Amino acid sequence: MSAEARAINFGAGPSALPESVLEETAKGLLNFAGTGIGIAEISHRSKEFTAFVRNLESLIREQLDVPPTHHILFTQGGGSGQFSAVVLNMLARHRLLRPELAEEDRVMDYVVTGSWSKKAAEEARRLGGGRVNVVADGRKHSPDGKSFNNIPPAEAFTFSEDPALIYYCENETVDGVEFAHAPGPTAFPFERLPKTGLIPLVADYSSSFMSRPIPRLADHAIIYAGAQKNIGPAGLTILIVRQDCVVDVDAAAKLGAVPTPITMSYKTLVDSGSLYNTPSVLAIYMTGLVIERMKSLGGVPYFEQVNKNKAEKVYAVLKEGEAKGKLRGKVQEGSGSWMNIVFDVLGEGEEAKFLSGAEARALKGLKGHRSVGGIRVSLYNAVSEQQTDKLVDYIREFIGQ
């Protein structure tokens, strides 16, 4: 298929990848790094692939300014796998630090701002090993009391004094809610975190990883991201893990912690250089190509500006549609995501008409998540400003009818 025949992919994930990366991947499928063996065939323990992994780690460290106190790890299982791994590793850490605590006194703090953080909290309850404290719940601050359409105000956050972990999702892909990047009422309230020791702060950055800098990265215990939004295909999960969270999970289990599967142990990943078992070789390769391209274009600061421009254009046309009574945004002012912009098309049959018109113009992946419906525009790194302009032009045409 020619580049001209390709659709513009606004899907929420797996999502758009740069065409140059797809073309380079096609070459690598036949011959990786001059080995004469394709990337999908080569041993993950070959010196060429091992060198590629180490370079990828270095590129991420450089572009996000990851301090030496944190490891960069590669694994599988997506964000959902980390719902479990985070709980098991952080409960093991807490057990080693506080072996005298009874189970009911071991607390895990969860900020619930959308579908994914809600699922993460549910998994923590399912695994046990401590009780879940909901620090803040966005539904309590929505007009209907059940929608995730906002970042709760800072004063609503009630952190525990000594939690095993404090969990938040930076960007909610389904609900279109994101913590603000700059300080303000919808930024993450770092100032309210407990002041005792190293903060066990965990962030799900799956749908915004490397779209802009990470505020106070060094203050996080764990940051993780599924690659299939901004930086690669499905199959790879990237972790940034502070050294004190790499613990002997077997020693913790002997003290009563919930046992951790060996491939979910952060210590296993660190000790093996992320190569304990066969990783997602092709996904790692494509992610490396994406991040090399990012660096050549100006790195995270460049994409931050482009992503800001794209989001502002879509929100501006959404406001035009609201003023004309044709569209309705789903998220409260100031809480909207740069990555996933969600809205409803008003009127009987109008949503189907909107999607049909978009499809005819090769603007694809715009249907909202099945759990909430409506329209969702995903503006990940590989979606260019020019492609965004084409969508904005179509929306303006639609609301002008």
Side-chain angles (χ1 to χ4, degrees), residues 64-78:
L64 286 179
D65 195 21
V66 179
T69 50
H70 288 63
H71 298 278
I72 296 174
L73 306 171
F74 306 105
T75 188
Q76 301 174 60

Side-chain angles (χ1 to χ4, degrees), residues 83-234:
F83 293 170
S84 312
V86 159
V87 169
L88 296 173
N89 282 273
M90 295 304 279
L91 281 177
R93 173 184 180 272
H94 203 252
R95 177 73 60 165
L96 293 168
L97 289 172
R98 307 281 190 273
E100 75 287 353
L101 280 185
E103 211 78 321
E104 61 272 16
D105 295 327
R106 213 173 294 279
V107 183
M108 296 174 281
D109 278 1
Y110 277 78
V111 179
V112 180
T113 51
S115 300
W116 291 114
S117 49
K118 177 175 174 285
K119 285 179 182 290
E122 288 168 352
E123 177 65 356
R125 290 190 188 95
R126 192 185 74 82
L127 288 173
R131 61 183 173 85
V132 170
N133 169 50
V134 176
V135 170
D137 189 327
R139 289 170 294 190
K140 293 182 179 179
H141 303 274
S142 64
D144 63 8
K146 59 183 181 181
S147 300
F148 290 115
N149 71 349
N150 67 92
I151 295 296
E155 58 269 20
F157 286 68
T158 54
F159 295 105
S160 304
E161 285 186 17
D162 179 30
L165 64 97
I166 301 166
Y167 188 103
Y168 74 101
C169 179
E170 197 270 347
N171 180 73
E172 291 281 1
T173 324
V174 171
D175 305 282
V177 172
E178 185 173 24
F179 284 91
H181 183 237
T186 57
F188 188 85
F190 292 100
E191 69 282 358
R192 295 182 69 89
L193 290 167
K195 302 296 191 288
T196 53
L198 289 169
I199 303 167
L201 185 62
V202 177
D204 175 356
Y205 261 79
S206 289
S207 49
S208 55
F209 191 67
M210 299 197 79
S211 67
R212 57 189 188 182
I214 297 176
R216 295 180 61 164
L217 185 152
D219 291 336
H220 289 74
I222 301 165
I223 292 167
Y224 71 80
Q228 69 277 10
K229 312 290 187 180
N230 282 300
I231 54 169

Side-chain angles (χ1 to χ4, degrees), residues 171-172 176-178 207 311 315 331 335-341 379:
N171 180 73
E172 291 281 1
V177 172
E178 185 173 24
S207 49
Y315 278 116
V331 178
S335 296
S337 168
W338 283 13
M339 297 283 97
N340 311 101
I341 300 175
L379 300 173

